[in-house]
Amino acid sequence: MFKTSLLALSIAGLLTGCSLDGDDGADGLDGAQGPQGETGAAGADAVSGVELAIIGRGSLEAEGAAEIVQFDVATGTIYVTNSDANTVALVDINDLTNTPLDSPVTDLNLTVGSEVTLPADVNGVALDGLTSIALSGDLLAVAVPADAKADNGYVLFYSNVSGIAPTFLKAVEVGNLPDMVTFTPDGSKVLVANEGEPGGDYTIDPEGSVAVIAVTDGVPADSATLLDFTAFNAQKAELMAMGMHFPNPAGRTINGTLISTSVAQDLEPEYITASNDMAYVTLQENNGVAVIDLNTMEMSVVGLGFKDWAGLNIDAEEDGAVSFGQYEGLYGVYMPDTIAMFSWKGADFLLTANEGDAREYFISDNMSEADCTAAGGQDWDDGECLAFTEEVKLKKLDAEPGSLLEALQANGGADDLRVTNALGDADGNGLYDAAYSYGARSFTIWDQNGLVVFDSGDDFERITASIYGAAFNNGDDENEGDSRSENKGPEPEALTVGQIGDHTYAFIGLERMGGIFVYDISNPYEAYFVEYINNRDVTEGLAVGDAIGDLAPESLLFVSAENSPTGSPVLIVGNEVSGTVAVYSITQK
């Protein structure tokens, strides 16, 4: 049920490899080498990994366009959000084969067909741009926030997905800022993560929530059940003890408003994964997961704790080189974006892409310094008036004398690493014992008790550094090597799971560096790295528009062999910054 507290996380590492030790006896003599046996025949499941190759690419011809992808099996059509035009684009892949593209960085063999144009308003409420889509059977669900920050958003439903063209069916009001929508596997419910972010000056801060819309015989209900977090308003201390944090400007006056932020306002649902009975929702900025029993609509919240960077390699310097260090007193706040689930031995396991996310809100980007000060701004820089941020450079924290942080600052190797000032001062005296950076630069497998089963550690940075050298930890819109080391590194964001034969694989996309990591997670306790592929030209100085390849994988979708038009498994990737859709064939080795 994933409801157990994660307080045990801090000691979990101490339990690894424990055993009962007896007295050491004398070493015996080595025996003679036995004869070499004959090599046995390869077993039916002699699989060592997978290979990925790009077989299809299409462009929406707009930066930031291709964010979320879905696939309709009946018509062989990819549905992809086009946030630039505020439409849902349809891409036919029925003619794809498993033949790799000759020049995958530049070739385009997929074209956008028709597009679903969204209404500008619903029931008199002006709509903003779409954020997410989901498909189930003959239904398309589109999440769209309201244009006004204080208004609730909607899920727009379209039917006839597998017919000639999707037809608008109805709009269902949900919570504030619906950021992600998904169906349960049986299609009986639509789940919506309503992020409820504050306005730029923080004077409007809606509550986050999760909406549940029942679907009966293919028809969605006219209204949603809204689950909020008001029951946790009195449990802030308990949630913080589990490793959650609540950074906000409470107690300050901004634009004449005294800011007072409840737990329900502070929690911001980001992404949902679900079975027919349970839903798991990432609360990214707060470093937690909400767990919902879809039968009783009961909800609990679990903190994810922290990752200890001591003994692991991290590049915390943007010096144009690979500068790995290992630092005591430095912790990572998981802050996952995408979450997925799979089953092993009948039990549910969760996977998270640990991106990290700092809060940063501006009153205005065109304001005088005097006006910014009068408005209660936190800082001013060249016209930009900052309302609130928790982000500081590690060297700016005031260290407790004799603490690990003091030694870390004396080392100097992580001085400019971006960390949160909302953690590390346990006794509240204004002095910090340790530093907490955004994200964990990894993906993690968790069991149903909330304990870490596997974490990819420092794999993402070490492997990309081995391949690209100083061109690793690149940005997502321009090639400037080592430009993200001080700020969340490669930023794992997209994640999905796929079953191929007897093997279960996790696919993880890196938002900044780009590319897809693949891990075999068939046994979650023995997960291992399998492959990394990055369809990107990393030549220094190239940028968006320079035929640079695919940038910023935002969403991944696995399609099994039986549902694929090629007859083999494929991975569909929405690349947000480059505005491209890529289709990878997957071949077992």
Side-chain angles (χ1 to χ4, degrees):
M1 297 290 288
F2 204 71
K3 295 183 179 179
T4 299
S5 166
L6 296 196
L7 292 175
L9 267 177
S10 61
I11 61 170
L14 300 176
L15 303 180
T16 305
C18 292
S19 61
L20 295 176
D21 293 328
D23 294 332
D24 290 336
D27 291 336
L29 297 176
D30 292 336
Q33 175 67 46
Q36 179 68 44
E38 294 183 2
T39 301
D45 193 33
V47 174
S48 62
V50 294
E51 291 180 332
L52 275 66
I54 292 187
I55 59 174
R57 283 184 82 236
S59 176
L60 274 61
E61 300 181 351
E63 183 179 344
E67 188 171 358
I68 306 299
V69 292
Q70 292 283 280
F71 181 65
D72 180 43
V73 176
T75 61
T77 303
I78 298 173
Y79 282 65
V80 55
T81 58
N82 185 343
S83 53
D84 180 70
N86 200 30
T87 62
V88 180
L90 279 63
V91 180
D92 189 331
I93 63 169
N94 281 293
D95 294 333
L96 276 187
T97 69
N98 286 319
T99 304
L101 295 179
D102 292 331
S103 301
V105 171
T106 57
D107 283 357
L108 297 170
N109 63 340
L110 302 177
T111 56
V112 176
S114 59
E115 296 193 52
V116 179
T117 301
L118 306 181
D121 64 87
V122 170
N123 300 329
V125 177
L127 299 180
D128 201 358
L130 80 168
T131 56
S132 180
I133 58 174
L135 282 174
S136 179
D138 204 38
L139 282 179
L140 166 68
V142 185
V144 189
D147 184 60
K149 174 58 68 175
D151 290 342
N152 284 340
Y154 287 81
V155 170
L156 310 180
F157 285 98
Y158 292 80
S159 60
N160 199 37
V161 167
S162 298
I164 298 174
T167 304
F168 180 72
L169 181 63
K170 66 171 65 174
V172 178
E173 183 178 348
V174 289
N176 189 276
L177 185 54
D179 193 46
M180 190 270 181
V181 61
T182 189
F183 285 85
T184 54
D186 63 5
S188 68
K189 296 179 182 67
V190 175
L191 310 175
V192 190
N194 303 304
E195 195 163 5
E197 285 184 343
D201 64 0
Y202 237 100
T203 58
I204 297 175
D205 188 6
E207 293 183 352
S209 62
V210 177
V212 182
I213 304 170
V215 179
T216 305
D217 296 328
V219 180
D222 294 333
S223 61
T225 298
L226 209 60
L227 306 178
D228 62 33
F229 295 92
T230 55
F232 300 95
N233 282 342
Q235 300 180 34
K236 184 176 180 179
E238 291 86 344
L239 296 174
M240 291 181 68
M242 290 194 291
M244 297 183 70
H245 80 319
F246 298 88
N248 59 68
R252 286 175 46 206
T253 297
I254 304 176
N255 270 345
T257 300
L258 177 63
I259 307 300
S260 176
T261 305
S262 67
V263 168
Q265 289 174 297
D266 211 296
L267 295 178
E268 299 178 359
E270 184 79 23
Y271 205 96
I272 304 174
T273 188
S275 65
N276 294 328
D277 299 312
M278 300 295 298
Y280 304 92
V281 187
T282 54
L283 307 169
Q284 183 175 24
E285 288 83 356
N286 305 99
N287 193 39
V289 171
V291 184
I292 303 171
D293 186 322
L294 295 175
N295 297 308
T296 64
M297 296 299 175
E298 294 178 346
M299 181 163 60
S300 60
V301 174
V302 179
L304 296 180
F306 311 109
K307 175 175 178 173
D308 191 345
W309 276 107
L312 294 170
N313 294 296
I314 181 173
D315 190 332
E317 297 182 89
E318 292 174 11
D319 56 359
V322 178
S323 305
F324 284 130
Q326 298 186 0
Y327 305 107
E328 283 192 280
L330 178 61
Y331 299 89
V333 189
Y334 290 99
M335 291 182 163
D337 187 327
T338 307
I339 187 170
M341 63 187 301
F342 72 107
S343 179
W344 183 68
K345 296 189 180 295
D348 289 340
F349 288 78
L350 300 178
L351 297 88
T352 58
N354 306 315
E355 178 194 22
D357 196 9
R359 284 181 170 159
E360 187 176 58
Y361 292 92
F362 290 87
I363 298 174
S364 172
D365 60 2
N366 184 22
M367 201 173 199
S368 72
E369 185 172 7
D371 287 343
C372 179
T373 300
Q378 182 175 320
D379 195 11
W380 180 89
D381 182 33
D382 194 24
E384 291 187 328
C385 182
L386 180 68
F388 172 75
T389 187
E390 56 175 307
E391 182 181 276
V392 297
K393 292 187 176 183
L394 185 147
K395 64 185 177 185
K396 296 294 186 180
L397 295 176
D398 293 326
E400 185 81 50
S403 66
L404 289 175
L405 177 60
E406 185 179 55
L408 180 55
Q409 290 177 332
N411 175 286
D415 273 356
D416 292 323
L417 181 66
R418 315 297 174 85
V419 298
T420 176
N421 63 12
L423 293 168
D425 177 14
D427 57 9
N429 68 346
L431 300 177
Y432 291 80
D433 300 286
Y436 292 78
S437 61
Y438 298 100
R441 307 191 184 195
S442 64
F443 90 98
T444 304
I445 303 175
W446 312 80
D447 72 8
Q448 62 181 321
N449 301 308
L451 298 177
V452 174
V453 171
F454 171 84
D455 185 88
S456 60
D458 53 13
D459 283 4
F460 294 166
E461 281 191 287
R462 285 194 304 106
I463 292 170
T464 54
S466 295
I467 297 171
Y468 297 112
F472 91 129
N473 274 358
N474 228 307
D476 59 7
D477 59 359
E478 181 180 2
N479 286 342
E480 182 184 355
D482 194 37
S483 60
R484 297 296 301 178
S485 291
E486 295 170 3
N487 191 0
K488 296 179 286 187
E491 289 193 36
E493 172 157 344
L495 182 143
T496 194
V497 177
Q499 183 79 26
I500 307 176
D502 292 333
H503 288 253
T504 305
Y505 296 96
F507 302 86
I508 306 99
L510 305 184
E511 180 180 13
R512 300 294 179 172
M513 184 67 231
I516 312 298
F517 271 89
V518 186
Y519 281 73
D520 190 316
I521 59 170
S522 303
N523 180 338
Y525 291 90
E526 296 181 357
Y528 58 90
F529 167 70
V530 169
E531 176 66 293
Y532 172 67
I533 184 170
N534 191 3
N535 188 48
R536 174 179 183 171
D537 183 343
V538 298
T539 301
E540 190 80 4
L542 291 181
V544 178
D546 292 332
I548 193 174
D550 296 323
L551 301 172
E554 178 75 16
S555 63
L556 307 179
L557 184 69
F558 176 83
V559 180
S560 63
E562 55 266 32
N563 292 326
S564 167
T566 69
S568 300
V570 298
L571 184 71
I572 302 172
V573 184
N575 300 288
E576 181 184 8
V577 171
S578 57
T580 53
V581 177
V583 182
Y584 290 80
S585 66
I586 307 172
T587 305
Q588 282 192 310
K589 296 190 293 185

